[in-house]
């Protein structure tokens, strides 16, 4: 016989429409598909083409049926921009018992060599004929970029994350980051990209950091820091958001196989730093700095359930402003820009006017400045339509322009 019982401390509660049904004997589910090895490595959402390596793919398979499934195999197809670039089949496992779950990994022998959107598609099968054909296939996506290294999927941002408050309700000193391990040497970090949440305090001064790691995230061999002041145009609100590019004061050369934490830190108190994030962190790449250890010990820790929008940028053009300053007295970055543009000036330069012109020479923004000895100035360009423009600066060195792309 079958006995059913329940209890609840509520005023009114009941069970309705209960059924007893016979399950399927043969029902394999492809539960999860991975495009990277989350056990021995990290699974990146974006990876620069110069850091691409052999794709190690994986899958989680669940036996939802009542019978043992034997000789489980996976057929896979790797697509770039919807075109197949690598296919194959691998043995998943000899058998999975009823209600059992297993995971397996496979080295594909394929290394992406072009930028584009990649999708790993898989289908699971066994010696038995599956009685449910709706759950045997799945996929996982990533992008091979020119310069951006990332863990997050910005199209799926669903939360913003913040550190703890102290007993007085003020923000604790707080840090947030992602760990990256480059596969190849020779790359250089020029900037950090961050998606600031809507609750971030405008005017907060943060420290953008690169940690070169030893044996763990707490074993910091070297640190490179850049101070950045958050402006209203950096703070994202609603469904529209953009990343802020923070150009590093010092470029960081990457060593193959060495871990690097890309992080942002706030001193706390009344300044709040919130980061747009995805739920989930299966590869344990997320790191937080704060009183999260035993006895509220302050350090860097992993084991969180989200992935923050903090990225590594290895684009040399992001920081190639020194050459522009030498030639014209000023440089602009990032270029392309989306919400904010920074102008960096020659030391002691007297600036009379800053404006942005479209390709027809029509003025679309006039900063109307008259200043001297300013090393940097930031402009909000979020209200300017995407396209090509010129930044025009009138200074003691004359009238000079530089081309600007707004995305």
């Amino acid at each position: 016989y079958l006995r059913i019982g329940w209890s609840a401390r509520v005023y009114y509660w009941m069970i309705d429409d209960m059924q007893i049904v016979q399950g399927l004997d043969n029902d394999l589910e492809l539960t999860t598909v991975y495009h990277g090895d989350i056990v021995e490595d990290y699974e990146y959402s974006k990876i620069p083409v110069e850091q691409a390596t052999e794709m190690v793919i994986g899958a989680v398979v669940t036996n939802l049926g009542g019978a043992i499934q034997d000789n489980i195999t996976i057929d896979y197809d790797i697509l770039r921009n919807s075109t197949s670039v690598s296919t194959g089949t691998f043995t998943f496992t000899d058998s999975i018992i009823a209600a059992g779950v297993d995971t397996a990994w496979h080295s594909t022998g394929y290394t992406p060599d072009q930028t584009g959107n990649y999708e790993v598609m898989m289908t699971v099968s066994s010696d038995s004929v599956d009685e449910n054909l709706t759950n045997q296939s799945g996929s996982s996506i990533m992008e091979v970029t020119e310069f951006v290294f990332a863990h997050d999927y910005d199209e799926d941002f669903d939360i913003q994350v913040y550190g703890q408050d102290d007993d007085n309700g003020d923000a604790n000193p707080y840090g947030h980051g992602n760990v990256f391990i480059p596969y190849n040497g020779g790359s250089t970090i020029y900037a950090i990209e961050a998606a600031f949440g809507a609750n971030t305090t405008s005017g907060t001064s943060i420290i953008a950091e690169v940690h070169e790691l030893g044996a763990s995230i707490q074993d910091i061999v070297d640190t490179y820091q850049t101070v950045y002041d958050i402006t209203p145009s950096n703070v994202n609100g609603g469904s529209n958001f953009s990343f802020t590019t923070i150009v590093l004061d010092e470029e960081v050369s990457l060593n193959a196989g060495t871990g690097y934490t890309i992080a942002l830190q706030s001193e706390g108190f009344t300044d709040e730093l919130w980061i747009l994030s995805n739920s989930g962190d299966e590869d344990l790449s997320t790191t937080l700095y704060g009183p999260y250890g035993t006895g509220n010990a302050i350090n860097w820790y992993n084991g969180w359930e989200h992935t923050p929008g903090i990225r590594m940028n290895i684009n040399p053009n992001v920081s190639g402003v020194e050459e522009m300053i030498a030639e014209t007295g000023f440089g602009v970055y990032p270029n392309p820009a989306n919400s904010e543009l920074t102008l960096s000036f020659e030391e002691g330069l007297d600036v009379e006017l800053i404006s942005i012109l479209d390709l027809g020479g029509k003025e679309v923004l006039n900063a109307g400045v008259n200043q001297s000895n300013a090393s940097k100035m930031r402009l909000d360009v979020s209200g300017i339509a995407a396209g090509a423009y010129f930044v025009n600066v009138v200074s003691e060195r004359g009238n000079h322009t530089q081309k600007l792309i707004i995305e």
Side-chain angles (χ1 to χ4, degrees):
Y1 64 92
L2 179 65
R3 180 179 179 180
I4 300 173
W6 72 92
S7 64
R9 293 183 178 181
V10 294
Y11 177 71
Y12 182 78
W13 194 83
M14 70 178 188
I15 294 178
D16 194 13
D17 297 331
M18 179 177 292
Q19 291 182 317
I20 298 175
V21 298
Q22 182 177 351
L24 303 176
D25 287 332
N26 303 309
D27 185 8
L28 276 181
E29 176 190 71
L30 183 59
T31 307
T32 308
V33 174
Y34 298 104
H35 62 263
D37 185 350
I38 68 168
V39 177
E40 301 294 335
D41 197 356
Y42 293 113
E43 184 180 52
Y44 301 104
S45 61
K46 301 178 186 292
I47 185 169
V49 65
E50 66 186 62
Q51 286 297 327
T53 190
E54 178 188 6
M55 293 185 68
V56 178
I57 59 178
V60 178
V61 174
T62 304
N63 183 1
L64 299 178
I68 296 176
Q69 300 298 304
D70 296 318
N71 297 322
I72 294 93
T73 59
I74 298 282
D75 296 319
Y76 68 89
D77 191 0
I78 301 174
L79 295 85
R80 180 182 64 241
N81 299 332
S82 302
T83 299
S84 178
V85 291
S86 179
T87 61
T89 300
F90 66 92
T91 299
F92 184 85
T93 188
D94 292 336
S95 65
I96 303 179
I97 63 173
V101 182
D102 205 349
T103 304
W105 304 95
H106 175 69
S107 299
T108 64
Y110 174 74
T111 299
D113 58 359
Q114 297 182 34
T115 59
N117 295 311
Y118 287 74
E119 181 177 15
V120 178
M121 303 181 66
M122 293 186 185
T123 300
V124 63
S125 61
S126 70
D127 285 348
S128 303
V129 177
D130 204 289
E131 299 170 72
N132 179 9
L133 302 181
T134 65
N135 60 1
Q136 293 177 285
S137 298
S139 65
S140 181
I141 60 173
M142 72 168 190
E143 181 184 0
V144 176
T145 67
E146 283 193 271
F147 304 114
V148 175
F149 228 150
H151 287 281
D152 68 89
Y153 288 90
D154 52 30
E155 65 274 15
D156 293 327
F157 281 155
D158 55 351
I159 54 175
Q160 55 175 325
V161 180
Y162 166 67
Q164 296 176 346
D165 289 337
D166 61 21
D167 294 337
N168 298 319
D170 293 328
N172 279 313
Y174 164 65
H176 215 144
N178 284 314
V179 179
F180 299 81
I181 300 180
Y183 300 107
N184 307 307
S187 297
T188 300
I189 309 174
Y190 295 97
I192 293 174
E193 297 186 355
F196 296 109
N199 293 339
T200 297
T201 305
S202 178
T204 295
S205 182
I206 63 171
I207 301 174
E209 295 186 326
V210 178
H211 299 165
E212 181 179 336
L213 303 178
S216 71
I217 59 174
Q218 297 180 354
D219 180 16
I220 300 174
V221 176
D222 208 346
T223 299
Y224 307 84
Q225 297 182 327
T226 299
V227 176
Y228 186 84
D229 296 325
I230 298 174
T231 66
S233 64
N234 300 140
V235 179
N236 291 290
S239 58
N240 296 321
F241 66 88
S242 60
F243 278 80
T244 295
T245 301
I246 303 172
V247 178
L248 300 179
D249 290 339
E250 182 179 359
E251 302 166 358
V252 182
S253 298
L254 298 177
N255 299 315
T258 298
Y260 296 86
T261 298
I262 306 301
L264 305 174
Q265 283 209 70
S266 168
E267 293 298 324
F269 302 106
T270 59
D271 292 337
E272 296 190 359
L273 172 62
W274 294 73
I275 306 296
L276 294 180
S277 305
N278 305 124
S279 296
D281 178 34
E282 285 195 82
D283 63 1
L284 301 180
S285 60
T286 300
T287 65
L288 266 69
Y289 178 83
Y292 309 124
T294 303
N296 294 325
I298 298 176
N299 211 321
W300 289 95
Y301 299 95
N302 60 8
W304 308 97
E305 295 183 356
H306 66 274
T307 301
I310 301 175
R311 300 173 170 179
M312 177 194 298
N313 191 319
I314 62 172
N315 183 358
N317 294 326
V318 168
S319 64
V321 297
E322 298 301 325
E323 294 83 358
M324 294 187 288
I325 292 174
E327 182 177 345
T328 65
F330 77 100
V332 299
Y333 63 87
N335 193 2
N338 45 40
S339 63
E340 183 182 77
L341 180 69
T342 298
L343 286 81
S344 185
F345 302 104
E346 181 181 71
E347 183 177 357
L349 184 70
D350 288 327
V351 179
E352 300 175 13
L353 178 67
I354 299 173
S355 59
I356 297 180
L357 313 175
D358 66 17
L359 295 185
K362 180 181 177 181
E363 187 177 89
V364 296
L365 186 149
N366 187 328
V369 297
N370 193 327
Q371 61 183 19
S372 62
N373 299 320
S375 61
K376 290 183 181 180
M377 181 177 181
R378 288 151 69 180
L379 300 179
D380 182 357
V381 295
S382 59
I384 301 178
Y389 298 88
F390 291 104
V391 179
N392 183 58
V393 173
V394 179
S395 72
E396 60 183 298
R397 292 189 55 170
N399 190 338
H400 294 280
T401 62
Q402 292 181 23
K403 192 170 183 180
L404 168 69
I405 302 298
I406 294 180
E407 295 180 335

